[in-house]
Amino acid sequence: MAIDTKSLIMGLIAIGAGIAALTGFGAGIGTGIATGKAVEAVSRQPEAKNDIISTLIIGSAFSEATAIYGLLVAIILLFVFAK
């Protein structure tokens, strides 16, 4: 059974794009955990609400950046290399 090289490359690109798209799961889980902990912290120390919220926003931005990078890698793999 011979494997077509082009089909093999296209399959590997699709697998790589799928793995890159999985970064969204990690970012979502991380943002959810951070938000939950921030809510707990605000309920324990309402006077520190502004500091906690600003730290949460910065952390969420870093967490979401990984998801955006993964999405960009998946798009590049699918639309640039899979021709």
Side-chain angles (χ1 to χ4, degrees):
M1 181 173 135
I3 298 175
D4 183 22
T5 305
K6 184 170 174 112
S7 297
L8 178 65
I9 292 172
M10 294 296 286
L12 292 174
I13 287 172
I15 290 171
I19 291 171
L22 289 177
T23 58
F25 289 121
I29 291 170
T31 302
I33 290 172
T35 303
K37 295 296 181 183
V39 169
E40 288 177 10
V42 168
S43 68
R44 278 186 272 127
Q45 296 179 335
E47 67 275 357
K49 177 182 174 184
N50 292 333
D51 293 334
I52 293 168
I53 297 267
S54 63
T55 304
L56 171 66
I57 290 172
I58 292 170
S60 293
F62 284 121
S63 177
E64 292 299 323
T66 58
I68 292 170
Y69 292 147
L71 179 65
L72 287 176
V73 168
I75 288 172
I76 289 170
L77 282 174
L78 289 176
F79 293 109
V80 174
F81 293 113
K83 287 185 177 181

